[in-house]
């Protein structure tokens, strides 16, 4: 049940919100609705998730009661091993078995083809972050299993993030009042995300599918670059749209989620890109992997090691395939390049050139992300980077590039940058709330410009019209 579906928007969400605000038990209503939401898409896997919630709740309470640092470390280790073992079994066991079969002689290991539970990468990282924060005493342990379950199961972030830390919503979770002061802001975020998803990501998706579906012998460099551009817009507006819908739904329920994207294609370097892209994931790896490994302390060799570990894990987190691992290491290589001198070269270049550098590097990286496998990605890149492979667009692709698709490309190119915010600031548009003194401006979701109601109504109506007449409506990050 994706957020951008008729059944969610016109059946599930109204019924849930009515029950949520009419009932006198906030946590209970949230739990019932979230379990129903997850069970709709995953069936019996909900018991796996409930089991992990119970185990992590008990482990955190035991860690809090442990009398010695060694006892706390032992409980933390057991909790992390349990969470990662479940993730590894469902997401990586098949990949590991296939890799061993490819390199080892003898009888092959049996193929493991079990279905991946939706959202397992996201809720596993939330469980681990909670355990580590309790170990560090960064937050007090949650004594109510109902509230802890509501934090993990909360349907706005359950399936595809953002990765919300317990500290982000602890006070709101423990408050019993169903705050309704930001319902309007919630609907604005939801509609903006819906437009990003339906009007841009879904509309340019067939161009990317066509380009990446062509055999290398029929692919031209022109089509390859157009396909990479289409996928760059698709994945950004797909995931950013989902994150904005999740933030909006959280506001409707009285919770505040952190921003997950800050116009990453406006970056002027790869380092800048990773401060803007999937912020909840990059900050998770920074706080729970990179810094504990030593960060950039201890000399260049250790910094390189730590960056490689983080981006190897970042690639692996996205999928059990060599193409994702290469994508992660590719980004890690450019971050090391910038950290050890290239950033000084970039600083002397014109801003437009720095933008172009970041965009081209990111677009090339998306080929590894989108291609069916690593050989397919390398074949695609061989054509894409061949100066002699440029040809006029084929008839099939010309047919795909109708007025609607061209408008989606134009809108994507416009709104991938902070154009709207700049216009609203220049017009001195009202903000929904005063900027938070505790949060950087780029992470503050409350202090958003208030968009005109007719604009939101038109965007919502157009999105619904497109949805009714379309069958293409997947969320890309559901597969991760």
């Amino acid at each position: 049940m994706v957020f951008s579906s008729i059944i969610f928007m016109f059946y599930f969400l109204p019924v849930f919100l009515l029950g949520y605000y009419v009932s006198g038990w906030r946590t209970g209503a949230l739990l019932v609705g979230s379990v129903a939401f997850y069970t709709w898409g995953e069936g019996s896997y909900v018991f796996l998730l409930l089991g992990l919630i119970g185990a992590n709740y008990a482990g955190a309470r035991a860690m809090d009661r442990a009398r010695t640092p060694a006892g706390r470390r032992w409980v933390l280790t057991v909790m992390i091993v349990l969470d990662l073992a479940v993730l590894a079994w469902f997401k990586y066991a098949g990949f590991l078995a296939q890799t061993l079969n490819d390199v080892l002689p003898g009888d092959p290991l049996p193929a493991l083809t079990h279905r991946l539970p939706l959202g397992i990468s996201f809720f596993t990282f939330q469980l681990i972050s909670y355990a580590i924060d309790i170990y560090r005493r960064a937050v007090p342990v949650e004594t109510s299993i109902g509230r802890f379950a509501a934090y993990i199961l909360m349907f706005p972030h359950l399936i595809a993030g953002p990765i919300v830390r317990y500290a982000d919503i602890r006070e709101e979770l423990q408050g019993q009042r169903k705050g309704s002061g930001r319902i309007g802001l919630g609907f604005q975020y939801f509609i903006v995300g819906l437009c990003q998803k339906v009007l841009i990501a879904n509309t340019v998706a067939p161009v990317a599918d066509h380009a990446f579906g062509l055999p290398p012998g029929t692919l031209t460099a022109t089509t390859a670059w157009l396909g990479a551009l289409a996928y760059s817009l698709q994945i950004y507006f797909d995931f950013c749209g989902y994150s904005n819908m999740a933030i909006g739904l959280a506001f409707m329920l009285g919770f505040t989620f952190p921003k997950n994207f800050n116009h990453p294609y406006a970056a002027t370097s790869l380092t800048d890109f990773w401060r803007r892209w999937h912020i909840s994931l990059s900050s998770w790896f920074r706080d729970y992997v990179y810094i504990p490994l030593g960060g950039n302390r201890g000399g260049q060799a250790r910094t390189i090691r730590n960056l490689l570990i983080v981006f190897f894990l970042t690639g692996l987190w996205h999928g059990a395939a060599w193409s994702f691992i290469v994508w992660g290491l590719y980004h890690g290589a450019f971050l090391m390049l910038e950290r050890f001198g290239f950033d000084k070269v970039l600083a002397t270049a014109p801003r437009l050139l720095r933008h172009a550098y970041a965009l081209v590097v990111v677009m090339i990286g998306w080929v590894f992300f989108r291609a069916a496998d690593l050989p397919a990605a390398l074949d695609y890149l061989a054509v894409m980077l061949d100066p002699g492979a440029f040809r006029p667009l084929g008839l099939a692709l010309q047919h795909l590039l109708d007025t609607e698709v061209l408008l989606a490309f134009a809108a994507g190119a416009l709104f991938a940058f902070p154009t709207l915010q700049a216009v609203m600031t220049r017009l001195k548009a009202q903000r929904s709330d005063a900027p938070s003194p505790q949060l950087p401006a780029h992470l503050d979701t409350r202090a958003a410009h208030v968009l005109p109601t007719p604009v939101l109504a038109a965007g919502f109506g157009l999105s619904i019209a497109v949805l009714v007449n379309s069958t293409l409506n997947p969320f890309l990050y559901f597969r991760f």
Side-chain angles (χ1 to χ4, degrees), residues 118-150:
L118 280 175
I120 188 170
S121 297
F122 290 91
F123 63 70
T124 298
F125 270 31
Q126 289 189 172
L127 290 167
I128 292 174
S129 71
Y130 175 75
I132 295 175
D133 285 350
I134 296 299
Y135 173 78
R136 293 174 175 173
R137 302 193 189 277
V139 291
V141 69
E142 176 56 71
T143 58
S144 165
I145 191 171
R147 284 196 299 265
F148 178 67

Side-chain angles (χ1 to χ4, degrees), residues 267-268 346 349-359 417:
T268 55
L346 287 174
R351 188 175 183 85
L352 184 61
L353 188 60
R354 285 181 280 153
H355 278 305
Y357 151 76
L359 280 173
F417 296 88

Side-chain angles (χ1 to χ4, degrees), residues 12 27 42 68 99 111 226 316 336 418 427 458 469:
F12 177 86
T27 302
E42 281 297 10
T68 64
T99 302
L226 185 61
L316 192 64
M336 286 191 295
L427 294 175
N469 292 288

Side-chain angles (χ1 to χ4, degrees), residues 7 9 16 24 44 89 92 125-126 203 250 259 288 297 304-305 316 363 378 385 397 420 461 468:
I7 192 169
M9 289 185 286
F16 171 78
S44 60
W89 170 254
Y92 303 110
F125 270 31
Q126 289 189 172
T203 306
K259 192 175 289 186
Y288 300 110
R297 304 183 304 275
I304 291 172
R305 181 204 66 180
L316 192 64
M363 281 179 60
L378 296 175
L385 301 177
L397 192 53
L420 180 60
V468 168

